[in-house]
C-alpha cells in the first residue's frame, strides 16, 4: 500500500533542530532538495503499490533520496542509513519534519528501492533535473545581469558576468527554426561488475563445489539416498585444481587437461543429482539460490564442453559468473584490461550535460547509437546538433550519410585527398583538432563517474539493481553539474562586488575565492 504525502518543500525555519539554530540555506543538500522533481517522482512510484491493501510503503522522497545519497557519496547500504541518521541536512533533503536520531529504515530496504525505479523512469527524471537546473541558472544569470545594468556602465567590473554565457548550454529563444544548434558528444564504456576475474578452470571448480553442496543437501532428506553420491575423492579433485591454479604460467596443454578433469567431476555430480531426483529427492526443499545456480551450472557445463572440443574460444552468451549470470565479457581493447566484465553503456553529452542512452549486458557495436541519439537530441531541442564529436568507430558510411543529409558536422578526418589550398587545409586541421578536444568532454564524464560516483565497480548483484545504480550515477552527475554552475555564478557576483568596491576589495575577493576552492587560508601577500 502507498499513501501519497505532501511533497512540498519545507522551509529552513520549519525544520525542527533539537540542538537549536537553523540550517544553512546554501548547503548542498538544501540546494538538491529544491532541484529534485518530487511530484513527478511520486507519479512514477505510487502506481507500483495498491492504494488500499498491504503495509504502507516508504515514501518516494525517502526511497529516491537514499539512493541519491548513496550514489553521491559512494557508500554501502549500511553506511548510507548511518549517515542519514546522523546528518540533519540529509534528513531535510529526505523530507523529514525535524531531526531524528533513529534509523529511518533497515539497510536491506535499499535493495527494494533499487528495484522500484526503472531505467526509463530515472532517465526521465534526469532530463527533468537538467531542465529545472537550467531554469535556475538562467534566473540567477538574469538577476546578475540586472544588478550589472543598475550600476555605472563605465565601471570596469560591470562586464564580469558576461564572461559566462548561458548560450553554451541553453538554446536561445530567437534561434532560427530548422537551423542546427549545439554539440553532441557520444561514446561508450563498460561498468565492471563486482566479480572475480573469471577463468574456465576457476568457474568449473566453483561449479563442482556448488554441486557437491547440493548433493549433500539432497542426501540429507532421506538416508537411503546416500547410495547415489558420486564415488570420487573431493580432496583430490580440489588438489587437481590447485596444482594448476597456483602456477604462474601453466602451459595450455595442462590447462586443458585440468579442465577436462573438472568437467568429468562435474558431469558425475549432475548425473548424481538426476538420480537423486528420480529416487524421490525434492529440489523445492533447497533455497531458491541453489536451484537457480544449478540451472546456470548446467549451461556452464554445456558451454565448456563445446569450447574444450571445438576449435574456438568464443561462444554466445558466455557465462562468467555463477551468481551474476547476466554478466558478459565486453571486449574493450584498452591498455589496462582488454576485456571487462559488466554492462556496456552508451553516453551522450549534450551541451555540457551527460545523459545515459543505453545499458546492455551483451556486447554490441556502439556506432549503432549515433543516429538514435541524434534523433533524441532533435526530440528534446527541436533541431539536430550542429556537430557530433565521436570516436573513429562511429565514423562509418551510414553515419556519414545521415550527418550529411541533416547538415551535421561529424568529427573526423574528411574523405578524399586534402585540399591543395594550404589555408583551407590548415582550417580543416584546426577544426578537426577542436572537435577532438571537445570529444575529451565525454571521456571526462567516464573518468569522474568511475572515480567519484562508483561506476568503476558496480556492487549490486541483481541486474535491476545494477541498472538502477548506473542510471542514478548519471543523475547525480547532472545535479552536481548544476550545483557547480550555481556556485560559479555566485562567485562571479562576489568578484564583481569586490571589484566595484575598489582595488582593496579585489585582493579580498581573490582570497575568499581561494578559500572556496582550496578550503585553506590564502598566504599573506
Amino acid at each position: 500500500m502507498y499513501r501519497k504525502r505532501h511533497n512540498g518543500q519545507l522551509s529552513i525555519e520549519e525544520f525542527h533542530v533539537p540542538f537549536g539554530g537553523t540550517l544553512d540555506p546554501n548547503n548542498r543538500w538544501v540546494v538538491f532538495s529544491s532541484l529534485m522533481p518530487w511530484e513527478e517522482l511520486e507519479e512514477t512510484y505510487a502506481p507500483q503499490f495498491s492504494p488500499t491493501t498491504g503495509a504502507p510503503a516508504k515514501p518516494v522522497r525517502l526511497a529516491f533520496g537514499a539512493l541519491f545519497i548513496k550514489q553521491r557519496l559512494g557508500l554501502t547500504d549500511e553506511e548510507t542509513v548511518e549517515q542519514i541518521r546522523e546528518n540533519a541536512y540529509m534528513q531535510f533533503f529526505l523530507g523529514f519534519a525535524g531531526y531524528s536520531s533513529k534509523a529511518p529504515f533497515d539497510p536491506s530496504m535499499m535493495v527494494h528501492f533499487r528495484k522500484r525505479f526503472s531505467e526509463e523512469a530515472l532517465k526521465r527524471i534526469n532530463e527533468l533535473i537538467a531542465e529545472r537546473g537550467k531554469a535556475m541558472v538562467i534566473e540567477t544569470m538574469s538577476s546578475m545581469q540586472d544588478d550589472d545594468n543598475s550600476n555605472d556602465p563605465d565601471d570596469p567590473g560591470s562586464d564580469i558576468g558576461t564572461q559566462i554565457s548561458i548560450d553554451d548550454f541553453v538554446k536561445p529563444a530567437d534561434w532560427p527554426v530548422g537551423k542546427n544548434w549545439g554539440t553532441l558528444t557520444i561514446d561508450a564504456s563498460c561498468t565492471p561488475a563486482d566479480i572475480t576475474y573469471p577463468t574456465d578452470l576457476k568457474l568449473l571448480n566453483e561449479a563442482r563445489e556448488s554441486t557437491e553442496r547440493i548433493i549433500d543437501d539432497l542426501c540429507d532428506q532421506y538416508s537411503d539416498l546416500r547410495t547415489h553420491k558420486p564415488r570420487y575423492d573431493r580432496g583430490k579433485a580440489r588438489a587437481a585444481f590447485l596444482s594448476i591454479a597456483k602456477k604462474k604460467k601453466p602451459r595450455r596443454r595442462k590447462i586443458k587437461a585440468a579442465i577436462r578433469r573438472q568437467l568429468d567431476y562435474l558431469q558425475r555430480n549432475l548425473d548424481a543429482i538426476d538420480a537423486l531426483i528420480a529416487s524421490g529427492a525434492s529440489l523445492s526443499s533447497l533455497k531458491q539460490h541453489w536451484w537457480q545456480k544449478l540451472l546456470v551450472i548446467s549451461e556452464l557445463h554445456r558451454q565448456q564442453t563445446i569450447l574444450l572440443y571445438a576449435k574456438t574460444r568464443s561462444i554466445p552468451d558466455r557465462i562468467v559468473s555463477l551468481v551474476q549470470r547476466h554478466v558478459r565479457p565486453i571486449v574493450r581493447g584498452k591498455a589496462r584490461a582488454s576485456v571487462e566484465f559488466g554492462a556496456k553503456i552508451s553516453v551522450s553529452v549534450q551541451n555540457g550535460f551527460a545523459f545515459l542512452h543505453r545499458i546492455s549486458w551483451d556486447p554490441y557495436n556502439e556506432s549503432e547509437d549515433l543516429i538514435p541519439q541524434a534523433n533524441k537530441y532533435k526530440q528534446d531541442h527541436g533541431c539536430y546538433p550542429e556537430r557530433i564529436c565521436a570516436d573513429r568507430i562511429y565514423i562509418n558510411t551510414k553515419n556519414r550519410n545521415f550527418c550529411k543529409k541533416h547538415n551535421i558536422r561529424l568529427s573526423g578526418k574528411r574523405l578524399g585527398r586534402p585540399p591543395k589550398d594550404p589555408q583551407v587545409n590548415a582550417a580543416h586541421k584546426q577544426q578537426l583538432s577542436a572537435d577532438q578536444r571537445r570529444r575529451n568532454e565525454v571521456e571526462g564524464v567516464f573518468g569522474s563517474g568511475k572515480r567519484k560516483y562508483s561506476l568503476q565497480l558496480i556492487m549490486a548483484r541483481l541486474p535491476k539493481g545494477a541498472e538502477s545504480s548506473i542510471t542514478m550515477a548519471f543523475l547525480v552527475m547532472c545535479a552536481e553539474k548544476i550545483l557547480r554552475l550555481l556556485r560559479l555564478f555566485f562567485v562571479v557576483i562576489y568578484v564583481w562586488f569586490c571589484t566595484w568596491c575598489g582595488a582593496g576589495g579585489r585582493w579580498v575577493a581573490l582570497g575568499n575565492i581561494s578559500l572556496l576552492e582550496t578550503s585553506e587560508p590564502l598566504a599573506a601577500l
Side-chain angles (χ1 to χ4, degrees):
M1 181 175 67
Y2 185 78
R3 297 173 181 173
K4 290 190 177 181
R5 302 186 180 184
H6 174 64
N7 285 316
Q9 180 60 53
L10 289 174
S11 64
I12 299 294
E13 293 77 13
E14 294 175 336
F15 187 82
H16 174 67
V17 183
F19 40 80
T22 58
L23 302 181
D24 181 11
N26 295 324
N27 184 271
R28 56 178 175 173
W29 299 111
V30 177
V31 177
F32 283 149
S33 64
S34 61
L35 187 62
M36 298 300 161
W38 301 116
E39 297 296 334
E40 291 80 358
L41 274 167
E42 190 165 45
E43 293 177 0
T44 304
Y45 189 77
Q48 303 180 38
F49 306 93
S50 172
T52 56
T53 60
K58 299 295 183 183
V60 62
R61 185 158 182 172
L62 180 61
F64 179 83
L67 294 177
F68 187 92
I69 292 172
K70 168 185 168 56
Q71 201 69 38
R72 172 60 187 84
L73 302 180
L75 307 174
T76 62
D77 294 347
E78 293 78 8
E79 185 64 24
T80 301
V81 176
E82 286 298 313
Q83 289 289 338
I84 294 173
R85 187 180 65 83
E86 298 170 356
N87 196 312
Y89 286 102
M90 291 183 182
Q91 295 185 14
F92 178 83
F93 173 69
L94 297 177
F96 285 39
Y99 174 77
S100 174
S101 59
K102 296 182 180 179
F105 54 86
D106 190 80
S108 62
M109 285 297 299
M110 295 289 290
V111 179
H112 301 284
F113 292 163
R114 284 189 285 267
K115 292 180 182 179
R116 293 171 185 173
F117 294 98
S118 63
E119 177 188 346
E120 296 300 327
L122 291 178
K123 287 181 181 179
R124 176 57 184 162
I125 297 303
N126 192 7
E127 296 173 358
L128 293 175
I129 291 175
E131 293 174 2
R132 180 172 294 190
K134 291 177 182 179
M136 294 173 63
V137 172
I138 292 174
E139 182 180 358
T140 304
M141 189 67 180
S142 299
S143 62
M144 184 180 67
Q145 291 177 350
D146 293 340
D147 294 340
D148 289 346
N149 295 333
S150 62
N151 293 283
D152 186 6
D154 297 332
D155 184 17
S158 61
D159 60 344
I160 292 181
T162 61
Q163 295 177 2
I164 304 175
S165 176
I166 62 176
D167 293 342
D168 293 337
F169 56 89
V170 178
K171 183 180 178 182
D174 57 349
W175 193 261
V177 179
K179 184 179 179 181
N180 294 348
W181 171 83
T183 301
L184 177 64
T185 309
I186 59 178
D187 203 355
S189 184
C190 180
T191 54
D194 183 28
I195 63 172
T196 181
Y197 189 87
T199 61
D200 296 339
L201 186 59
K202 185 190 298 184
L203 286 172
L204 290 173
N205 178 72
E206 183 182 355
R208 177 188 57 80
E209 293 177 346
S210 299
T211 52
E212 290 172 357
R213 170 71 181 274
I214 294 174
I215 290 172
D216 292 341
D217 291 344
L218 293 177
C219 290
D220 291 340
Q221 297 179 9
Y222 303 103
S223 59
D224 297 338
L225 297 178
R226 296 184 180 275
T227 58
H228 299 287
K229 187 177 291 188
R231 305 294 181 181
Y232 71 85
D233 191 340
R234 297 180 179 182
K236 290 184 178 181
R238 176 166 177 78
F241 160 71
L242 293 178
S243 63
I244 301 300
K246 289 185 175 181
K247 290 185 177 181
K248 188 174 182 179
K249 291 183 178 180
R251 294 185 177 182
R252 180 64 185 170
R253 177 176 54 83
K254 292 187 176 181
I255 294 177
K256 291 186 68 174
I259 290 176
R260 187 180 296 107
R261 194 169 182 179
Q262 294 296 324
L263 279 173
D264 180 57
Y265 291 138
L266 184 57
Q267 182 62 55
R268 295 184 194 180
N269 291 345
L270 294 176
D271 293 340
I273 292 174
D274 293 338
L276 288 170
I277 295 174
S279 300
S282 176
L283 283 177
S284 59
S285 61
L286 300 176
K287 293 183 179 180
Q288 183 181 7
H289 167 76
W290 286 110
W291 60 261
Q292 285 183 349
K293 181 179 283 190
L294 181 59
L295 296 176
V296 180
I297 290 173
S298 300
E299 176 63 18
L300 175 68
H301 181 272
R302 185 191 68 85
Q303 292 184 1
Q304 292 297 326
T305 303
I306 295 175
L307 292 173
L308 179 63
Y309 296 103
K311 295 181 179 180
T312 180
R313 290 192 177 183
S314 63
I315 193 170
D317 299 328
R318 186 167 186 169
I319 293 175
V320 294
S321 175
L322 299 183
V323 177
Q324 302 186 45
R325 55 187 181 276
H326 54 277
V327 177
R328 299 288 180 266
I330 306 295
V331 179
R332 298 291 296 152
K334 302 297 182 179
R336 181 179 178 183
S338 59
V339 180
E340 294 179 334
F341 305 93
K344 189 172 184 178
I345 59 174
S346 180
V347 177
S348 64
V349 180
Q350 302 179 11
N351 307 303
F353 291 89
F355 297 95
L356 180 64
H357 174 72
R358 180 180 179 183
I359 299 178
S360 175
W361 295 101
D362 296 319
Y364 66 92
N365 192 335
E366 54 261 37
S367 64
E368 303 171 357
D369 291 336
L370 186 143
I371 296 178
Q373 292 194 38
N375 292 330
K376 183 66 169 59
Y377 185 96
K378 183 180 181 181
Q379 180 182 350
D380 296 338
H381 299 86
C383 63
Y384 285 106
E386 182 180 1
R387 63 175 175 175
I388 296 179
C389 300
D391 202 356
R392 286 185 179 181
I393 193 171
Y394 291 89
I395 307 175
N396 54 30
T397 304
K398 182 179 180 181
N399 292 338
R400 283 183 183 271
N401 294 336
F402 174 83
C403 293
K404 183 178 181 180
K405 178 181 178 182
H406 298 286
N407 297 322
I408 304 173
R409 188 174 80 246
L410 181 60
S411 64
K413 190 175 181 180
R414 299 171 182 264
L415 296 177
R417 295 182 178 180
K420 296 182 179 180
D421 191 346
Q423 294 183 354
V424 176
N425 192 20
H428 288 176
K429 290 183 178 180
Q430 185 177 4
Q431 185 181 85
L432 176 61
S433 178
D435 291 342
Q436 293 299 323
R437 288 195 301 270
R438 186 60 183 267
R439 201 192 71 81
N440 292 335
E441 186 178 28
V442 70
E443 299 292 349
V445 169
F446 291 138
S448 61
K450 291 186 176 182
R451 289 194 308 270
K452 194 175 180 181
Y453 301 107
S454 306
L455 288 181
Q456 178 62 30
L457 192 65
I458 304 300
M459 303 300 294
R461 291 190 174 186
L462 298 177
K464 188 74 174 178
E467 293 170 4
S468 176
S469 299
I470 295 170
T471 311
M472 183 63 69
F474 287 91
L475 189 148
V476 173
M477 278 192 278
C478 183
E480 282 287 329
K481 171 78 173 182
I482 296 168
L483 184 64
R484 288 196 301 270
L485 287 174
L486 291 174
R487 287 178 174 175
L488 180 60
F489 283 127
F490 290 143
V491 170
V492 170
I493 294 174
Y494 189 74
V495 171
W496 169 84
F497 177 77
C498 294
T499 305
W500 181 70
C501 290
R506 293 190 185 97
W507 291 109
V508 176
L510 290 174
N512 289 328
I513 291 175
S514 176
L515 290 176
L516 289 173
E517 295 294 333
T518 64
S519 300
E520 297 178 358
L522 189 67
L525 296 176

